[in-house]
Amino acid sequence: MNNRAFLNWSSGKDAAYALYLLQQQNNSKVERLLTSVNQEYKRVSMHGVSLELVQRQAIALGLPLDVLYLPEKVSMEEYEIIVTAKLNSYQNQGIDKSVYGDILLEDLKYFREKQLASIGMQGIFPLWKRNTKELLLEMIDAGLKTIVICVNEQYLDKSFLGRIIDYRFLEDLPNNVDPCGENGEYHTFCFDGPMFFHSVDFSVGEVVYKTYPAPKIENDDNFKNYGFYFLDLT
């Protein structure tokens, strides 16, 4: 049975731990990383991590990195065309499994599996339906080193930026925040752990505030934009 796979690499803790679990289980072999970046800014979407740092992660992981360059305002149709072309190229190389770090979002998993099934590929979700508090503790105990690089101001204030995820971090999270940030409350950059051959060096830069349009609710004139704080790493 073909066990060749690629990993959708976001630069954060969930993707890193999904890789670690597969390495331990030895069922599927991750041969490549795939990262989507903004074509104009060369940064990972929502994480805001520069392509250069993602490339350094790939070197530290000992895996080749493939990059999808997405337009600033990419439509869903454009997105599916770009992604499907890359999936087809993997199939031509004999890689027919796609690994994700998703945990709880049913709609997202359904979308991914539907897209993969349309061309005969299979999705692998090593973290799926795990208890997120237990999972985060497991990541910490395994030696993952991650820094918070983005927070959604609806859930967390900017004081959480730059914090290393440890037991104290978990204790300080408000009750309405998923421990793993599965609802987009925060995003991370993973710089060390048992899946790395060596740690990834970086420096902490400035804090940037950005807003994004909130989903428009019919007959609701009070909707607001979503505000996010980003910590620039160099």
Side-chain angles (χ1 to χ4, degrees):
M1 185 178 68
N2 184 1
N3 67 348
R4 301 177 64 194
F6 74 93
L7 171 64
N8 294 272
W9 184 255
S10 64
S11 78
K13 61 180 176 28
D14 299 339
Y17 200 61
L19 173 62
Y20 176 66
L21 289 181
L22 288 182
Q23 289 173 337
Q24 299 306 300
Q25 296 164 3
N26 205 30
N27 293 328
S28 296
K29 182 182 179 182
V30 174
E31 297 186 5
R32 309 187 71 85
L33 305 177
L34 177 64
T35 297
S36 298
V37 302
N38 181 293
Q39 192 171 43
E40 181 177 354
Y41 299 106
K42 305 296 188 295
R43 290 180 178 269
V44 178
S45 176
M46 288 317 300
H47 285 238
V49 176
S50 69
L51 178 57
E52 180 184 355
L53 278 178
V54 177
Q55 290 169 333
R56 291 190 179 193
Q57 284 181 315
I59 293 171
L61 291 166
L63 290 169
L65 176 70
D66 299 319
V67 181
L68 282 184
Y69 293 97
L70 301 177
E72 171 72 10
K73 295 182 178 180
V74 62
S75 68
M76 183 55 68
E77 182 179 0
E78 289 176 306
Y79 174 81
E80 290 195 11
I81 290 173
I82 294 170
V83 172
T84 300
K86 174 54 71 174
L87 295 178
N88 283 326
S89 74
Y90 282 138
Q91 272 196 318
N92 292 335
Q93 299 173 54
I95 300 174
D96 65 357
K97 293 180 176 61
S98 178
V99 182
Y100 301 93
D102 300 329
I103 308 171
L104 299 175
L105 302 182
E106 296 277 2
D107 290 348
L108 184 58
K109 184 172 184 284
Y110 174 78
F111 171 78
R112 297 196 197 283
E113 290 181 324
K114 183 179 178 182
Q115 186 179 44
L116 292 170
S118 68
I119 59 171
M121 295 187 76
Q122 177 186 351
I124 299 176
F125 300 81
L127 312 183
W128 188 245
K129 289 299 185 182
R130 291 287 307 275
N131 177 288
T132 50
K133 181 177 181 180
E134 293 176 0
L135 182 59
L136 190 65
L137 287 170
E138 195 174 293
M139 292 179 186
I140 296 169
D141 290 340
L144 245 67
K145 304 296 182 185
T146 56
I147 182 173
V148 177
I149 54 171
C150 172
V151 297
N152 183 334
E153 69 174 353
Q154 291 187 105
Y155 301 99
L156 294 169
D157 64 63
K158 65 179 181 180
S159 67
F160 279 86
L161 280 179
R163 290 192 58 171
I164 302 299
I165 293 187
D166 53 18
Y167 303 122
R168 181 63 183 273
F169 173 84
L170 182 57
E171 293 174 1
D172 290 344
L173 285 180
N175 292 332
N176 65 329
V177 173
D178 181 84
C180 284
E182 183 67 354
N183 300 307
E185 297 97 330
Y186 71 91
H187 297 289
T188 62
F189 175 78
C190 188
F191 59 90
D192 204 355
M195 68 293 297
F196 287 94
F197 289 103
H198 57 81
S199 62
V200 180
D201 293 331
F202 64 89
S203 298
V204 174
E206 64 179 347
V207 173
V208 178
Y209 179 77
K210 292 185 178 182
T211 59
Y212 297 89
K216 175 64 174 173
I217 301 175
E218 190 174 357
N219 299 321
D220 181 6
D221 296 325
N222 297 314
F223 77 99
K224 299 179 180 179
N225 287 340
Y226 289 151
F228 292 84
Y229 288 100
F230 293 87
L231 178 64
D232 189 28
L233 302 181
T234 59

